[in-house]
Amino acid sequence: MGVSDEFDVVVLGGGPGGYATALRAAQLDLSVAMVEKDKVGGTCLHRGCIPTKALLHAGEVADATRESSQFGIQAELTGVDMTAVNSYKDGVITKGYRGLQGLLKAAKRVTTVEGAGRLVGPNTVEVAGRRLTGRHVVLATGSYSRTLPGLEPDGERVLTSEHALALDRVPASVIVLGGGIIGCEFASVWRSLGAEVTILEALPRLLPTEDEDSSKQVQRAFRRRGINFKPDRPFEKLEHTDSGVRVTVAGGETLEAELLLVAVGRGPVTDGLGYDEQGITMERGFVRTDERLRTNLPNVYAVGDIVPGPQLAHRGFQQGVFVAEEIAGRNPAVIDEDGIPRITYCEPEVASVGLSEAAAKERHGADQITTYTYNLGGNLKSSILKTQGFVKLVRLADGPVVGLHMVGSRVSELVSEAQLIYNWEAFPQDVAQLVHAHPTQSEALGEAHLALAGKPLHVHD
């Protein structure tokens, strides 16, 4: 017989969704067992958000060095030392990991259990013979890199994003299969570090889940940067060559490169964990929940990438906080999925909150939607940064702003204000009266709302 332990909450998974659940539940005086088979922090900290952004920053430094003469600075890029780049990246991860370990240790009511857990009862998780029983169970087992039939990543010529993060060199050439967030970010960083890059996307445009104007702006920027991309190119076949790989797409077109990155999305980690056996309602491997993140089993919740919807660390984090407060009887407000910020950290960055123009017209009717686009060419901070892009607003007729879309260097830092505007259902005139510091890119948000409120200042007809 294994050891038996009882807790208020048992959390299966220690990524952003899982550890946020655990920390918030502990704050609310609930006893928590959090099970993690690898390292707390999950994919985001160790194999996703954080390492990719560190590489993107290294790429930004490389680009700035190449382009330094534009600013009167004489510098020369003599090479990229990937060993040192990876050391920098790993240092950022280590700092975050130690910080998270410290937070969990300080949360006296959280017991972290190392090992592969499995749901063996409606309120019981088993880890190496130890049975953890919870009045409530929260499933937070995360996601993995998907592939396609005929594609077997080997870590040498055919890579997943996890392999790519550990690469010890800058490849001469790369084919990126998938033009979504992961594909565009890796294409961006590899181009910055000196590789020849081609993106293959099965759908008609890059970043197909973003507003169409955002996609078009990124495509224009990628052309200027020398990043090749081919939309409407579904994958058909992979072959190995003496020097790398050969990829065949629909129509018979072939491309060759040193490496292939498979970036066709992420799947839920749910197989073999006892979910099916316990009768949890599933859909294509995802866990179905209601709006309060409850599964069909009493007192069993799910958060993060295993719940259908955008697979974002901050979404999982917020869901974890929500579930902890729900369990504690705080009756938190339901999370509006449309109000969760979405960011692609390529160069230029893409950031959005709320509905795209197409989605808004479908939901409310085309005659009820007004849009306005403010070009960053009129924003002096953007001129200082030498970035091109825009702020686009989608407004319900004579009503609030229901979508905000931004493209440009560093626009991710504007997304918090954009989130407030959307979530507070602000009218253009509400934002127009706010004071935006000068010179900042946030002025572009202010100018766009001034224009929609009928009083544009720095806008040319």
Side-chain angles (χ1 to χ4, degrees):
M1 294 291 292
V3 178
S4 179
D5 291 283
E6 295 185 0
F7 298 85
D8 293 321
V9 185
V10 175
V11 182
L12 185 52
Y19 79 70
T21 304
L23 290 172
R24 182 62 181 136
Q27 288 176 347
L28 296 171
D29 207 30
L30 299 172
S31 60
V32 183
M34 185 179 71
V35 180
E36 173 53 52
K37 67 178 181 180
D38 191 8
K39 294 179 177 180
V40 293
T43 294
C44 173
L45 177 57
H46 299 284
R47 299 174 298 279
C49 322
I50 302 306
T52 54
K53 278 46 174 188
L55 291 182
L56 282 158
H57 183 62
E60 182 182 1
V61 173
D63 285 332
T65 305
R66 285 191 197 93
E67 299 161 4
S68 63
S69 61
Q70 297 181 47
F71 308 97
I73 306 299
Q74 302 306 314
E76 182 181 356
L77 182 65
T78 59
V80 175
D81 180 350
M82 278 307 297
T83 299
V85 170
N86 284 328
S87 178
Y88 150 69
K89 173 198 65 166
D90 293 342
V92 174
I93 295 170
T94 298
K95 181 179 179 181
Y97 179 48
R98 288 175 178 167
L100 180 56
Q101 285 179 307
L103 285 173
L104 290 166
K105 186 176 180 180
K108 302 296 185 182
R109 294 183 66 80
V110 176
T111 300
T112 302
V113 181
E114 295 182 3
R118 191 171 187 275
L119 195 67
V120 296
N123 64 343
T124 305
V125 171
E126 186 173 80
V127 188
R130 181 180 180 183
R131 291 198 162 214
L132 308 170
T133 301
R135 292 192 303 109
H136 304 271
V137 172
V138 181
L139 310 176
T141 42
S143 61
Y144 68 94
S145 294
R146 284 191 187 275
T147 186
L148 295 174
L151 277 177
E152 295 301 328
D154 56 18
E156 295 181 4
R157 296 187 185 186
V158 183
L159 313 180
T160 65
S161 59
E162 286 88 346
H163 297 136
L165 287 168
L167 204 61
D168 61 359
R169 68 190 189 283
V170 178
S173 57
V174 190
I175 296 170
V176 176
L177 187 60
I181 293 174
I182 296 171
C184 284
E185 288 187 352
F186 273 101
S188 186
V189 70
W190 273 326
R191 184 58 183 156
S192 294
L193 297 178
E196 292 295 322
V197 182
T198 301
I199 305 172
L200 300 176
E201 170 55 50
L203 295 175
R205 57 188 173 92
L206 300 183
L207 300 177
T209 61
E210 290 291 344
D211 188 87
E212 187 171 356
D213 286 339
S214 295
S215 292
K216 289 178 179 178
Q217 182 72 25
V218 168
Q219 290 177 174
R220 285 192 291 269
F222 276 16
R223 286 192 193 98
R224 288 194 298 270
R225 295 187 59 198
I227 297 174
N228 303 307
F229 59 91
K230 295 177 178 289
D232 281 320
R233 299 296 202 284
F235 167 82
E236 286 197 345
K237 185 172 65 174
L238 167 69
E239 301 169 274
H240 286 69
T241 66
D242 291 341
S243 58
V245 294
R246 180 184 299 116
V247 175
T248 304
V249 296
E253 182 180 3
T254 62
L255 300 95
E256 295 191 13
E258 179 184 337
L259 298 176
L260 170 67
L261 172 67
V262 182
V264 294
R266 298 186 65 82
V269 175
T270 55
D271 193 36
L273 297 179
Y275 298 177
D276 284 320
E277 291 88 334
Q278 297 306 315
I280 290 176
T281 301
M282 310 285 288
E283 180 181 326
R284 297 179 296 108
F286 290 92
V287 176
R288 296 298 307 182
T289 71
D290 64 12
E291 65 177 6
R292 303 198 76 80
L293 299 171
R294 297 173 294 206
T295 71
N296 59 303
L297 296 187
N299 300 322
V300 178
Y301 299 80
V303 300
D305 287 358
I306 63 172
V307 179
Q311 293 173 312
L312 302 167
H314 48 278
R315 172 180 179 252
F317 185 93
Q318 190 64 24
Q319 288 178 336
V321 172
F322 174 92
V323 164
E325 294 181 352
E326 178 81 354
I327 289 170
R330 294 295 186 93
N331 193 32
V334 170
I335 299 168
D336 178 2
E337 294 268 295
D338 292 330
I340 297 172
R342 305 174 297 275
I343 304 170
T344 304
Y345 293 86
C346 56
E347 175 52 45
E349 291 181 342
V350 182
S352 61
V353 178
L355 303 178
S356 67
E357 179 179 350
K361 287 179 175 177
E362 182 178 348
R363 184 176 300 183
H364 299 288
D367 60 338
Q368 295 298 307
I369 296 300
T370 302
T371 67
Y372 180 79
T373 301
Y374 177 82
N375 192 306
L376 290 185
N379 177 262
L380 288 178
K381 184 60 182 288
S382 296
S383 296
I384 290 168
L385 296 173
K386 289 190 176 293
T387 187
Q388 299 179 40
F390 60 75
V391 170
K392 176 179 177 179
L393 305 181
V394 180
R395 181 195 186 184
L396 193 59
D398 298 322
V401 174
V402 296
L404 300 95
H405 306 274
M406 301 174 286
V407 180
S409 297
R410 307 187 188 183
V411 294
S412 59
E413 299 299 335
L414 305 182
V415 82
S416 293
E417 181 178 353
Q419 182 187 26
L420 291 176
I421 292 166
Y422 170 83
N423 282 284
W424 287 348
E425 299 181 346
F427 283 54
Q429 51 268 37
D430 296 328
V431 183
Q433 66 183 340
L434 301 178
V435 178
H436 292 83
H438 177 73
T440 64
Q441 286 185 295
S442 71
E443 289 177 281
L445 273 173
E447 290 286 353
H449 285 84
L450 278 165
L452 265 187
K455 46 184 179 182
L457 293 183
H458 298 88
V459 179
H460 298 286
D461 292 330

